[in-house]
């Protein structure tokens, strides 16, 4: 045990005796460990945020729409896809596994005003049938949502986001007030629960929600999206199959033809995110391995220099009875300690960058424990792998020849 402690003490002493040279040698390992820890923390934060934001699509819910998210389909083919309309909504509502369905539409870049104040032209206008609030898990903090009667009668009522309420009615009660959208007056009947934005995307707190019938009068008949709630979690897959079969039949698709609509749920969106995060993880590990390779070459070089500089010391120790394995262990330990120090610095820097992201981009980052352990293990492995040759070379030195070295 004393021999092990002496070996580690000598290794730390060597590291501290040349701090600048040691730090420059370790830059590759520092960058590699930082990359793994920081990227895994960011990916975990993205996963947490995506999971939270997916709750917008309510329990047992999914959505059908004309266009997919991303993909590589030609624009001409997407443009030929038929639009969803009110007949599709009513047909979906009649399926046995469907509890309710809501049509929805939206328009961004709108300006909303009152008699005294005006918003910037960045307000999103969302519209839907009354079921929209439930199929998208939207909570009203003050007041109420609009009703079926208000929807059918195309009454100009609005439920607004918390940020928009603060902008238009600072320090006051928005309920019962009047705002203007597209030159028409709307009676505010509710204020939404504050949710916060995600990665600079659309801000759900800066929006106006109005009945779909009113939206169509303002902006014309556009492209429906239909959000659907299944009877229960057990039949959600059956409900998706029923909707897909119904839409294929209504669009006259042959069995050999692909769907000309897009169905997505929390599960499918999570799968898309997981595929994306896997690609990012592989790229991050590629950068990490390249950095560790550069760091390993640096350790190999610095340890060969150390053996050359300490040849006389090695000869004296061997003449005094030090065995080959003790010399080998000492230089191998120095290489491992050197690379471990780089790994620790990289882990600390990676954790710092991950926590910085919480403040800069409001992302709930969380560094997985396994990424810290993996970074340190890889750092030690690189130190041992690239340090074993210089250590073996030192252990094989002839003591007589070594003591003659100047």
């Amino acid at each position: 045990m004393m021999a092990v402690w002496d070996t580690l003490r000598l290794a730390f002493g060597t590291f501290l005796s040349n701090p600048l040279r040691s730090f420059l040698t370790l830059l590759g390992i520092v960058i590699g460990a930082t990359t793994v820890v920081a990227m895994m923390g960011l990916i975990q934060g993205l996963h947490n945020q995506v999971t939270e934001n997916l709750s917008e699509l309510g329990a047992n819910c999914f959505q059908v729409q004309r266009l997919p998210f991303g993909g590589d389909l030609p624009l001409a083919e997407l443009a030929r896809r038929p639009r969803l309309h009110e007949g599709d909504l009513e047909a979906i509502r009649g399926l046995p596994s469907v509890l309710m369905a809501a049509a929805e539409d939206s328009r961004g870049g709108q300006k909303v005003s009152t008699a005294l104040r005006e918003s910037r032209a960045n307000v999103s206008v969302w519209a839907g049938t009354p079921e929209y609030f439930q199929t998208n898990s939207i909570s009203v903090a003050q007041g109420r949502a609009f009703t079926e009667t208000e929807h059918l009668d195309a009454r100009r009522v609005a439920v607004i986001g918390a940020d928009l309420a603060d902008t238009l009615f600072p320090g006051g009660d928005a309920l019962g007030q009047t705002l203007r959208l597209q030159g028409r007056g709307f009676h505010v009947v509710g204020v939404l629960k504050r949710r916060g934005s995600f990665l600079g995307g659309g801000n759900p707190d800066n929006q106006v929600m109005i009945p779909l019938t009113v939206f169509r009068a303002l902006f014309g008949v556009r492209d429906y999206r239909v959000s659907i709630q299944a009877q229960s979690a057990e039949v959600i897959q059956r409900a998706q199959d029923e909707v897909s079969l119904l839409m294929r039949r209504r669009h006259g698709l042959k069995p050999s033809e692909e769907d000309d609509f897009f169905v997505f749920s929390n599960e499918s969106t999570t799968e898309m995110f997981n595929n994306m995060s896997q690609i990012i993880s592989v790229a991050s590990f590629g950068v990490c391995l390249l950095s560790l390779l550069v760091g390993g070459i640096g350790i190999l070089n610095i340890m060969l220099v150390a053996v050359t500089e300490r040849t006389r010391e090695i000869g004296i120790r061997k003449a005094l009875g030090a065995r080959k394995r003790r010399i080998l262990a000492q230089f191998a330990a120095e290489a491992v300690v050197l690379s471990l120090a780089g790994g620790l610095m990289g882990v600390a820097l990676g954790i710092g960058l991950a926590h910085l992201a919480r403040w800069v981009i409001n992302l709930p980052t969380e560094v997985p424990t396994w990424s810290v352990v993996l970074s340190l293990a890889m750092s030690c492995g690189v130190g041992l792998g690239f340090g074993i040759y210089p250590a073996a070379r030192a252990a094989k030195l002839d003591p007589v020849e070594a003591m003659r070295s100047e």
Side-chain angles (χ1 to χ4, degrees), residues 7 16 26 30 41 46 67 85 199 225 250 269 296 320-321 372-373:
T7 300
L16 296 175
L26 297 178
V30 171
L46 281 170
L67 302 178
H85 51 79
L199 290 180
R225 296 184 296 274
R250 291 180 63 85
T269 308
L320 293 175
V372 174
V373 174

Side-chain angles (χ1 to χ4, degrees), residues 173-187:
D173 187 4
L175 298 181
Q177 303 290 340
T178 299
L179 58 81
R180 299 191 67 81
L181 170 66
Q182 291 284 307
R184 275 89 164 179
F186 283 79
H187 182 69

